[in-house]
mmCIF file of all heavy atoms in Angstrom:
data_model
loop_
_atom_site.group_PDB
_atom_site.id
_atom_site.type_symbol
_atom_site.label_atom_id
_atom_site.label_comp_id
_atom_site.label_asym_id
_atom_site.label_seq_id
_atom_site.Cartn_x
_atom_site.Cartn_y
_atom_site.Cartn_z
ATOM 1 N N PHE S 20 -0.015 -11.746 -6.392
ATOM 2 C CA PHE S 20 -1.296 -11.718 -5.510
ATOM 3 C C PHE S 20 -2.336 -12.548 -5.897
ATOM 4 O O PHE S 20 -3.296 -12.229 -6.396
ATOM 5 C CB PHE S 20 -1.734 -10.176 -5.442
ATOM 6 C CG PHE S 20 -0.697 -9.214 -4.771
ATOM 7 C CD1 PHE S 20 0.047 -8.435 -5.620
ATOM 8 C CD2 PHE S 20 -0.796 -9.154 -3.530
ATOM 9 C CE1 PHE S 20 0.978 -7.705 -4.996
ATOM 10 C CE2 PHE S 20 0.158 -8.308 -2.865
ATOM 11 C CZ PHE S 20 1.053 -7.556 -3.665
ATOM 12 N N PHE S 28 -3.622 -12.938 3.570
ATOM 13 C CA PHE S 28 -2.893 -11.589 3.353
ATOM 14 C C PHE S 28 -3.010 -10.755 4.676
ATOM 15 O O PHE S 28 -2.074 -9.985 5.018
ATOM 16 C CB PHE S 28 -3.690 -10.713 2.302
ATOM 17 C CG PHE S 28 -2.962 -9.441 1.945
ATOM 18 C CD1 PHE S 28 -1.799 -9.403 1.356
ATOM 19 C CD2 PHE S 28 -3.632 -8.283 2.330
ATOM 20 C CE1 PHE S 28 -1.159 -8.217 1.067
ATOM 21 C CE2 PHE S 28 -2.994 -7.081 2.099
ATOM 22 C CZ PHE S 28 -1.791 -7.143 1.410
ATOM 23 N N TYR S 39 1.809 -1.234 10.397
ATOM 24 C CA TYR S 39 0.546 -1.332 9.644
ATOM 25 C C TYR S 39 -0.654 -0.929 10.344
ATOM 26 O O TYR S 39 -1.502 -0.157 9.635
ATOM 27 C CB TYR S 39 0.576 -2.793 9.055
ATOM 28 C CG TYR S 39 -0.771 -2.959 8.155
ATOM 29 C CD1 TYR S 39 -0.857 -2.378 6.893
ATOM 30 C CD2 TYR S 39 -1.824 -3.759 8.604
ATOM 31 C CE1 TYR S 39 -1.899 -2.596 6.147
ATOM 32 C CE2 TYR S 39 -2.936 -3.954 7.745
ATOM 33 C CZ TYR S 39 -2.976 -3.330 6.475
ATOM 34 O OH TYR S 39 -4.058 -3.570 5.749
ATOM 35 N N GLY S 64 -5.259 0.039 -4.939
ATOM 36 C CA GLY S 64 -4.621 -1.164 -4.369
ATOM 37 C C GLY S 64 -5.185 -1.690 -3.070
ATOM 38 O O GLY S 64 -4.500 -1.630 -2.028
ATOM 39 N N SER S 66 -6.500 -4.307 -1.801
ATOM 40 C CA SER S 66 -6.334 -5.661 -1.215
ATOM 41 C C SER S 66 -7.678 -6.168 -0.650
ATOM 42 O O SER S 66 -8.595 -6.238 -1.295
ATOM 43 C CB SER S 66 -5.220 -5.629 -0.251
ATOM 44 O OG SER S 66 -4.010 -5.349 -0.831
ATOM 45 N N SER S 70 -7.913 -0.443 4.147
ATOM 46 C CA SER S 70 -7.887 1.028 4.138
ATOM 47 C C SER S 70 -9.312 1.543 3.848
ATOM 48 O O SER S 70 -9.636 2.640 4.334
ATOM 49 C CB SER S 70 -6.870 1.523 3.134
ATOM 50 O OG SER S 70 -5.622 1.127 3.633
ATOM 51 N N ASP S 89 -8.500 -2.992 -7.049
ATOM 52 C CA ASP S 89 -7.354 -3.794 -6.977
ATOM 53 C C ASP S 89 -7.472 -4.706 -8.303
ATOM 54 O O ASP S 89 -8.594 -4.945 -8.810
ATOM 55 C CB ASP S 89 -7.412 -4.700 -5.691
ATOM 56 C CG ASP S 89 -6.178 -5.217 -5.375
ATOM 57 O OD1 ASP S 89 -5.640 -6.162 -6.096
ATOM 58 O OD2 ASP S 89 -5.540 -4.768 -4.435
ATOM 59 N N ASN S 90 -6.316 -5.036 -8.827
ATOM 60 C CA ASN S 90 -6.342 -5.843 -10.051
ATOM 61 C C ASN S 90 -6.197 -7.291 -9.796
ATOM 62 O O ASN S 90 -6.091 -8.110 -10.703
ATOM 63 C CB ASN S 90 -5.279 -5.248 -11.064
ATOM 64 C CG ASN S 90 -3.904 -5.565 -10.616
ATOM 65 O OD1 ASN S 90 -3.572 -5.889 -9.547
ATOM 66 N ND2 ASN S 90 -3.072 -5.317 -11.541
ATOM 67 N N SER S 91 -6.237 -7.727 -8.500
ATOM 68 C CA SER S 91 -6.058 -9.153 -8.225
ATOM 69 C C SER S 91 -7.500 -9.661 -7.989
ATOM 70 O O SER S 91 -8.213 -9.408 -6.937
ATOM 71 C CB SER S 91 -5.172 -9.417 -7.026
ATOM 72 O OG SER S 91 -5.595 -10.621 -6.360
ATOM 73 N N MET S 94 -8.032 -11.115 -4.515
ATOM 74 C CA MET S 94 -8.172 -10.109 -3.516
ATOM 75 C C MET S 94 -9.498 -9.443 -3.556
ATOM 76 O O MET S 94 -10.279 -9.308 -2.480
ATOM 77 C CB MET S 94 -7.113 -8.875 -3.802
ATOM 78 C CG MET S 94 -5.842 -9.292 -3.320
ATOM 79 S SD MET S 94 -5.530 -9.416 -1.608
ATOM 80 C CE MET S 94 -3.657 -9.675 -1.458
ATOM 81 N N GLU S 115 -9.786 -3.823 -11.320
ATOM 82 C CA GLU S 115 -9.149 -3.169 -12.498
ATOM 83 C C GLU S 115 -7.677 -2.687 -12.110
ATOM 84 O O GLU S 115 -7.297 -2.497 -11.040
ATOM 85 C CB GLU S 115 -9.976 -1.969 -13.034
ATOM 86 C CG GLU S 115 -10.012 -0.744 -12.253
ATOM 87 C CD GLU S 115 -10.849 0.359 -12.834
ATOM 88 O OE1 GLU S 115 -11.681 0.189 -13.753
ATOM 89 O OE2 GLU S 115 -10.668 1.450 -12.298
ATOM 90 N N ASP S 116 -6.866 -2.433 -13.214
ATOM 91 C CA ASP S 116 -5.596 -1.891 -12.906
ATOM 92 C C ASP S 116 -5.683 -0.412 -12.529
ATOM 93 O O ASP S 116 -6.483 0.332 -13.278
ATOM 94 C CB ASP S 116 -4.849 -2.023 -14.277
ATOM 95 C CG ASP S 116 -3.333 -1.870 -13.993
ATOM 96 O OD1 ASP S 116 -2.915 -0.804 -13.586
ATOM 97 O OD2 ASP S 116 -2.495 -2.877 -14.315
ATOM 98 N N ILE S 117 -4.956 -0.014 -11.506
ATOM 99 C CA ILE S 117 -5.203 1.411 -11.098
ATOM 100 C C ILE S 117 -4.753 2.388 -12.092
ATOM 101 O O ILE S 117 -5.044 3.514 -12.115
ATOM 102 C CB ILE S 117 -4.470 1.697 -9.680
ATOM 103 C CG1 ILE S 117 -2.956 1.368 -9.839
ATOM 104 C CG2 ILE S 117 -5.220 0.989 -8.634
ATOM 105 C CD1 ILE S 117 -2.120 1.909 -8.558
ATOM 106 N N ARG S 118 -3.915 1.913 -13.154
ATOM 107 C CA ARG S 118 -3.469 2.806 -14.161
ATOM 108 C C ARG S 118 -4.658 3.131 -15.153
ATOM 109 O O ARG S 118 -4.434 4.058 -15.994
ATOM 110 C CB ARG S 118 -2.281 2.178 -14.929
ATOM 111 C CG ARG S 118 -0.930 2.080 -14.105
ATOM 112 C CD ARG S 118 0.017 1.217 -14.695
ATOM 113 N NE ARG S 118 -0.220 -0.233 -14.507
ATOM 114 C CZ ARG S 118 0.623 -1.222 -14.722
ATOM 115 N NH1 ARG S 118 1.789 -0.909 -15.270
ATOM 116 N NH2 ARG S 118 0.166 -2.473 -14.600
ATOM 117 N N ASN S 131 -1.902 2.911 -0.267
ATOM 118 C CA ASN S 131 -0.944 2.247 0.952
ATOM 119 C C ASN S 131 -0.211 0.916 0.366
ATOM 120 O O ASN S 131 -0.762 -0.076 0.154
ATOM 121 C CB ASN S 131 -1.878 2.009 2.087
ATOM 122 C CG ASN S 131 -2.241 3.240 2.731
ATOM 123 O OD1 ASN S 131 -1.507 4.249 2.743
ATOM 124 N ND2 ASN S 131 -3.379 3.319 3.273
ATOM 125 N N PHE S 132 1.095 1.113 0.097
ATOM 126 C CA PHE S 132 1.986 0.147 -0.317
ATOM 127 C C PHE S 132 1.596 -0.501 -1.689
ATOM 128 O O PHE S 132 1.692 -1.683 -1.855
ATOM 129 C CB PHE S 132 2.026 -1.058 0.754
ATOM 130 C CG PHE S 132 2.285 -0.428 2.049
ATOM 131 C CD1 PHE S 132 1.272 -0.431 3.108
ATOM 132 C CD2 PHE S 132 3.456 0.139 2.448
ATOM 133 C CE1 PHE S 132 1.428 0.104 4.410
ATOM 134 C CE2 PHE S 132 3.715 0.773 3.729
ATOM 135 C CZ PHE S 132 2.782 0.723 4.624
ATOM 136 N N THR S 133 1.092 0.390 -2.599
ATOM 137 C CA THR S 133 0.769 -0.065 -3.925
ATOM 138 C C THR S 133 1.586 0.509 -5.009
ATOM 139 O O THR S 133 1.951 -0.288 -5.968
ATOM 140 C CB THR S 133 -0.782 0.351 -4.263
ATOM 141 O OG1 THR S 133 -1.492 -0.033 -3.194
ATOM 142 C CG2 THR S 133 -1.155 -0.212 -5.390
ATOM 143 N N GLN S 135 4.662 1.049 -5.122
ATOM 144 C CA GLN S 135 5.932 0.291 -5.221
ATOM 145 C C GLN S 135 5.842 -0.970 -6.142
ATOM 146 O O GLN S 135 6.884 -1.469 -6.475
ATOM 147 C CB GLN S 135 6.292 -0.221 -3.730
ATOM 148 C CG GLN S 135 5.292 -1.194 -3.055
ATOM 149 C CD GLN S 135 5.512 -1.241 -1.649
ATOM 150 O OE1 GLN S 135 6.159 -0.440 -0.870
ATOM 151 N NE2 GLN S 135 4.857 -2.263 -1.054
ATOM 152 N N PHE S 136 4.698 -1.341 -6.504
ATOM 153 C CA PHE S 136 4.486 -2.420 -7.410
ATOM 154 C C PHE S 136 4.332 -2.069 -8.892
ATOM 155 O O PHE S 136 4.329 -2.842 -9.862
ATOM 156 C CB PHE S 136 3.314 -3.373 -7.154
ATOM 157 C CG PHE S 136 3.554 -4.050 -5.666
ATOM 158 C CD1 PHE S 136 2.798 -3.666 -4.557
ATOM 159 C CD2 PHE S 136 4.412 -5.161 -5.623
ATOM 160 C CE1 PHE S 136 3.018 -4.314 -3.389
ATOM 161 C CE2 PHE S 136 4.541 -5.825 -4.404
ATOM 162 C CZ PHE S 136 3.942 -5.507 -3.267
ATOM 163 N N LEU S 137 4.340 -0.701 -9.075
ATOM 164 C CA LEU S 137 4.150 -0.301 -10.506
ATOM 165 C C LEU S 137 5.641 -0.091 -10.980
ATOM 166 O O LEU S 137 6.558 0.315 -10.441
ATOM 167 C CB LEU S 137 3.508 1.116 -10.703
ATOM 168 C CG LEU S 137 2.025 1.223 -10.298
ATOM 169 C CD1 LEU S 137 1.489 2.616 -10.832
ATOM 170 C CD2 LEU S 137 1.291 0.132 -10.963
HETATM 171 C C1 GEK O 1 -4.040 -2.178 2.573
HETATM 172 N N1 GEK O 1 -3.479 -1.070 0.583
HETATM 173 O O1 GEK O 1 -4.261 -3.234 3.216
HETATM 174 N N2 GEK O 1 -3.520 -2.184 -10.104
HETATM 175 C C2 GEK O 1 -4.359 -2.498 -9.142
HETATM 176 N N3 GEK O 1 -3.845 -3.036 -7.994
HETATM 177 C C3 GEK O 1 -2.510 -3.347 -7.900
HETATM 178 C C4 GEK O 1 -1.644 -3.015 -8.856
HETATM 179 C C5 GEK O 1 -2.223 -2.413 -10.124
HETATM 180 N N4 GEK O 1 -1.456 -2.086 -11.153
HETATM 181 N N5 GEK O 1 -0.497 -3.485 -8.607
HETATM 182 C C6 GEK O 1 -0.605 -3.953 -7.363
HETATM 183 N N6 GEK O 1 -1.980 -4.027 -6.972
HETATM 184 C C7 GEK O 1 -3.678 -2.318 1.093
HETATM 185 C C8 GEK O 1 -2.303 -3.029 0.974
HETATM 186 S S1 GEK O 1 -0.942 -4.639 -0.894
HETATM 187 C C9 GEK O 1 0.594 -4.161 -0.289
HETATM 188 C C10 GEK O 1 -1.754 -3.170 -0.504
HETATM 189 C C11 GEK O 1 1.460 -5.360 -0.151
HETATM 190 C C12 GEK O 1 -2.492 -4.344 -5.725
HETATM 191 C C13 GEK O 1 -2.129 -5.915 -5.444
HETATM 192 O O2 GEK O 1 -3.036 -6.803 -6.013
HETATM 193 C C14 GEK O 1 -2.331 -5.854 -3.921
HETATM 194 O O3 GEK O 1 -3.574 -6.327 -3.420
HETATM 195 C C15 GEK O 1 -2.052 -4.415 -3.388
HETATM 196 O O4 GEK O 1 -1.962 -3.771 -4.619
HETATM 197 C C16 GEK O 1 -0.796 -4.130 -2.762
HETATM 198 O O5 GEK O 1 -3.952 -1.059 3.154
HETATM 199 O O6 GEK O 1 1.232 -6.423 -0.475
HETATM 200 O O7 GEK O 1 2.793 -5.022 0.287
#
Side-chain angles (χ1 to χ4, degrees):
F20 291 97
F28 187 74
Y39 178 68
S66 298
S70 296
D89 204 287
N90 67 350
S91 155
M94 287 289 191
E115 75 183 12
D116 195 304
I117 57 169
R118 289 167 287 188
N131 288 325
F132 311 108
T133 306
Q135 60 196 17
F136 293 106
L137 292 193

